[in-house]
């Protein structure tokens, strides 16, 4: 099995990268193949908002590295989305990546309720993990990270399996947080066991995300 991590920090050695590396280290110890995609290493042009991909499933923007990242998404069995916190929110690179995942979305109107539904062109349901790091903010800052992360996972046909939100890294880096490092390493192992077990999605957990972030009315 393959786990693909998409990291929106500009550093390969900072707190966000360290957190992801520890998680994937645990996953590899449990037998998974892993790959990290540091988004700043790729050319990602901003989404134009043209919505042409709603009909075609293909982005009209050409000449950047998004097709490589889309192929990584298609070939993975689980996803890790990771972002530090800039000005109390997700990074610009994370937002660009999420926006450019829009070609995966499948939108239709429910004939019975007349509400818009947002599914995915990805056919297989996959687990997703969110890792978010903050320097000086507390836990409250991570609500927006989780919301955007959930929207992206939904479009990739991925369910929110677990999140690791790590505040106050300005005073103590992730590498020195022994309890956090242990949880991340164990989390990577747990994800592999979860996938091997075939137990699948916790529908109550996904439903809680849906009720919090996605249950909007469209006419």
């Amino acid at each position: 099995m393959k786990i693909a991590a998409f990291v929106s920090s500009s550093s390969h050695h900072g707190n966000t990268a360290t957190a992801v590396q520890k998680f994937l280290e645990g996953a590899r110890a449990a037998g998974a193949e892993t790959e990290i995609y540091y988004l700043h290493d790729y050319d990602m042009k901003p989404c134009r908002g043209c919505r042409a991909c709603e009909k075609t499933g293909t982005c009209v923007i050409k000449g950047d590295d998004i097709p490589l990242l889309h192929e990584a998404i298609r070939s993975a069995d689980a996803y890790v989305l990771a972002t530090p916190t800039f000005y109390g929110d997700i990074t610009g690179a994370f937002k660009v990546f999420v926006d450019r995942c829009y070609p995966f979305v499948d939108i239709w109107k429910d004939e019975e309720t007349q509400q818009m539904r947002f599914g995915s062109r990805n056919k297989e349901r996959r687990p997703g993990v969110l890792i978010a790091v903050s320097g000086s903010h507390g836990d409250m800052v991570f609500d927006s990270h989780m919301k955007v992360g959930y929207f992206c996972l939904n479009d990739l046909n991925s369910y929110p399996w677990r999140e690791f939100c790590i505040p106050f890294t300005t005073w103590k880096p992730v590498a020195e947080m022994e309890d956090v490092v242990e949880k991340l390493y164990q989390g990577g192992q747990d994800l592999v066991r979860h996938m091997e077990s075939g137990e699948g999605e916790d529908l109550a957990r996904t439903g809680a995300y849906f009720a919090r972030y996605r249950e909007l009315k469209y006419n």
Side-chain angles (χ1 to χ4, degrees):
M1 69 185 65
K2 183 175 182 180
I3 302 171
F6 301 92
V7 181
S8 66
S9 171
S10 60
S11 172
H12 291 205
H13 309 288
N15 286 310
T16 305
T18 297
V20 173
Q21 290 161 7
K22 294 299 181 182
F23 182 89
L24 295 182
E25 185 180 331
R28 287 194 299 274
E33 175 186 354
T34 68
E35 189 72 45
I36 300 181
Y37 299 88
Y38 294 99
L39 298 178
H40 279 268
D41 294 348
Y42 295 86
D43 179 21
M44 300 187 302
K45 296 175 183 177
C47 176
R48 298 175 184 173
C50 67
R51 302 179 70 174
C53 61
E54 289 183 2
K55 295 181 179 179
T56 66
T58 303
C59 185
V60 299
I61 299 173
K62 306 299 181 184
D64 66 4
D65 293 329
I66 288 296
L68 298 176
L69 298 174
H70 282 187
E71 181 55 36
I73 289 169
R74 294 187 188 96
S75 63
D77 301 299
Y79 308 121
V80 178
L81 306 181
T83 180
T85 300
F86 287 1
Y87 282 91
D89 212 329
I90 60 175
T91 66
F94 189 68
K95 186 60 165 64
V96 171
F97 172 76
V98 170
D99 288 347
R100 295 295 303 279
C101 284
Y102 197 62
F104 286 97
V105 76
D106 185 21
I107 303 175
W108 74 95
K109 180 179 260 189
D110 188 302
E111 295 297 331
E112 182 176 344
T113 65
Q114 293 300 296
Q115 293 182 17
M116 298 302 295
R117 297 297 184 189
F118 297 83
S120 176
R121 287 186 167 91
N122 266 351
K123 299 307 179 186
E124 294 184 20
R125 195 75 165 153
R126 303 172 173 95
V129 175
L130 173 68
I131 296 177
V133 173
S134 172
S136 58
H137 293 278
D139 290 339
M140 67 182 72
V141 77
F142 293 123
D143 191 64
S144 63
H145 303 55
M146 293 171 64
K147 178 181 69 174
V148 176
Y150 167 70
F151 285 167
C152 184
L153 291 176
N154 182 79
D155 292 349
L156 302 182
N157 199 11
S158 178
Y159 54 91
W161 176 75
R162 192 173 295 180
E163 62 275 343
F164 299 85
C165 298
I166 310 166
F168 302 128
T169 58
T170 295
W171 294 277
K172 190 172 185 179
V174 169
E176 297 178 10
M177 298 180 179
E178 294 181 4
D179 58 332
V180 171
V181 169
E182 183 178 351
K183 288 179 181 178
L184 288 162
Y185 184 90
Q186 185 62 53
Q189 293 190 316
D190 289 346
L191 176 59
V192 174
R193 296 189 184 106
H194 166 74
M195 297 167 69
E196 289 177 338
S197 72
E199 64 186 4
E201 181 177 5
D202 182 340
L203 295 177
R205 179 178 173 81
T206 304
Y209 269 83
F210 185 91
R212 185 172 185 179
Y213 299 126
R214 185 63 97 168
E215 202 164 50
L216 305 175
K217 304 298 183 182
Y218 296 88
N219 295 319

